[in-house]
Amino acid sequence: MTNDPSRRIVFTGAAGGIGTMTRPLLAKLYPGLVLSDRVKPKDLLPSETFVAADLTKPDEVAALVKGAHSVLHLGGHSVEGTWDHILNANIIGCYNLFEAARAADVKRVIFASSNHAIGFYPRKKKIGTDVTVRPDSRYGVSKAFGEALGALYSDKHGIAVTCLRIGNVGPMPLDVRRLSIWISPEDLVQLFQIGLENPDVRFEIFYGASDNEAGWWDNSRAQRLGYRPTGKSEKFRAHAEAEQAKIGPDPVGDLFQGGAFASAEFTNDVKRAGP
Ligand SMILES: NC(=O)c1ccc[n+]([C@@H]2O[C@H](COP(=O)([O-])OP(=O)(O)OC[C@H]3O[C@@H](n4cnc5c(N)ncnc54)[C@H](O)[C@@H]3O)[C@@H](O)[C@H]2O)c1
């Protein structure tokens, strides 16, 4: 895929953290990327163009995706937030995106879901992508909603949808929990590529995780479609443990995959939480 306008790729949320980490890698693979956000990303590369759009405004989203072949949908509220924030950016915003994609005959959507859609699974349990969602927050619920929308638009309208339950993206894992869920920007771009190009994609859920020895997730479907992660969190164990020592224990969060997202606002008995 190159600068071919018939393969136009739109990247929402491009000014954010993941956008900033992956844009230089993506620019080499897909020159001509159309970036979008409410705010213009800094340091636009010569091959990139920018179109401002607010995901909560259907007309702006429709204008953005018109003529696009594929969408990398990362825009939205990226942590726990008030219901109002989550409702607008992640529920209404995500609906606007899929609906605009359908109307514009977009062929592929890659949706940035999150580990927080399954954050109430215990850390001791290894899970696949076929488990019932167990969100740990309003944010996690919005990601489960996005996955469900993806399934609907795939089954009903034939869009090839890939949902990435991203763990945590960065140059290295920042604490012990993230030794299990970390993904390098390079590995995330590999998953984007599968979503953008693999002919077998209809509706897929992959875990956005590198090759982590301490991992909790079975990502065999992604591997079958060609995913070959190169990041290994174990290399950074000493750093992650040193950082963890500064954080201290979280009696609820430490039991569950979602960590502090699970313990925030928690009023239950831990024995009754999770499967
Ligand atoms: N960073 C991670 O490790 C991680 C982990 C799991 C999932 N995710 C998901 O990946 C995506 C990107 O994450 P990030 O870390 O880059 O987040 P970020 O908060 O840095 O970036 C999100 C971007 O979305 C934009 N945005 C928010 N509301 C918008 C609206 N109404 N209209 C248009 N743009 C809007 C923001 O301006 C921002 O630039 C998010 O959907 C997030 O939930 C990220």
Side-chain angles (χ1 to χ4, degrees):
M1 256 188 247
T2 55
N3 244 333
D4 179 356
S6 71
R7 310 289 296 193
R8 184 172 184 258
I9 302 170
V10 168
F11 186 153
T12 72
I18 294 184
T20 306
M21 286 185 269
T22 57
R23 275 175 43 220
L25 304 167
L26 285 168
K28 288 186 203 139
L29 295 166
Y30 306 110
L33 211 61
V34 177
L35 309 180
S36 184
D37 206 298
R38 287 178 302 197
V39 288
K40 194 172 178 175
K42 295 184 199 105
D43 311 326
L44 222 62
L45 300 167
S47 68
E48 296 170 331
T49 50
F50 175 70
V51 178
D54 184 335
L55 292 163
T56 65
K57 308 230 164 87
D59 296 355
E60 293 185 15
V61 183
L64 170 68
V65 304
K66 194 162 181 268
H69 178 275
S70 307
V71 179
L72 287 163
H73 180 45
L74 277 79
H77 196 82
S78 61
V79 287
E80 180 59 318
T82 63
W83 172 237
D84 198 46
H85 277 117
I86 298 292
L87 173 66
N88 282 300
N90 292 10
I91 304 280
I92 295 172
C94 195
Y95 177 76
N96 288 343
L97 188 282
F98 273 104
E99 190 45 25
R102 178 199 61 74
D105 199 23
V106 166
K107 305 296 181 207
R108 289 172 178 261
V109 174
I110 291 85
F111 168 60
S113 181
S114 166
N115 68 90
H116 295 292
I118 43 92
F120 262 117
Y121 279 91
R123 294 190 185 192
K124 284 189 227 141
K125 198 171 165 73
K126 185 138 185 167
I127 56 172
T129 51
D130 54 346
V131 294
T132 307
V133 288
R134 300 298 283 243
D136 58 21
S137 49
R138 291 175 289 278
Y139 168 71
V141 169
S142 74
K143 294 302 184 180
F145 173 81
E147 291 182 3
L149 268 185
L152 174 67
Y153 280 77
S154 168
D155 287 329
K156 192 157 278 195
H157 304 298
I159 302 180
V161 177
T162 303
C163 301
L164 303 178
R165 286 184 184 160
I166 300 170
N168 190 247
V169 191
M172 67 176 74
L174 298 174
D175 55 25
V176 166
R177 175 176 166 268
R178 282 180 265 206
L179 288 170
S180 301
I181 68 164
W182 172 71
I183 182 165
S184 69
E186 290 77 9
D187 287 345
L188 184 63
V189 168
Q190 256 198 65
L191 292 173
F192 288 166
Q193 266 187 285
I194 293 171
L196 289 169
E197 297 182 34
N198 191 296
D200 293 333
V201 170
R202 284 166 47 189
F203 174 74
E204 302 289 347
I205 298 176
F206 303 147
Y207 284 105
S210 281
D211 182 18
N212 302 328
E213 231 172 83
W216 299 319
W217 304 324
D218 175 353
N219 219 5
S220 47
R221 175 67 185 159
Q223 283 153 9
R224 273 203 297 284
L225 295 195
Y227 183 45
R228 299 287 179 270
T230 58
K232 293 184 186 300
S233 64
E234 224 35 49
K235 275 187 1 200
F236 305 101
R237 179 167 282 281
H239 170 79
E241 287 181 347
E243 290 302 305
Q244 186 68 40
K246 295 179 199 163
I247 302 166
D250 174 350
V252 175
D254 291 348
L255 298 173
F256 299 105
Q257 297 190 2
F261 279 56
S263 56
E265 304 173 37
F266 188 83
T267 59
N268 196 8
D269 173 346
V270 282
K271 293 192 211 73
R272 293 176 60 82

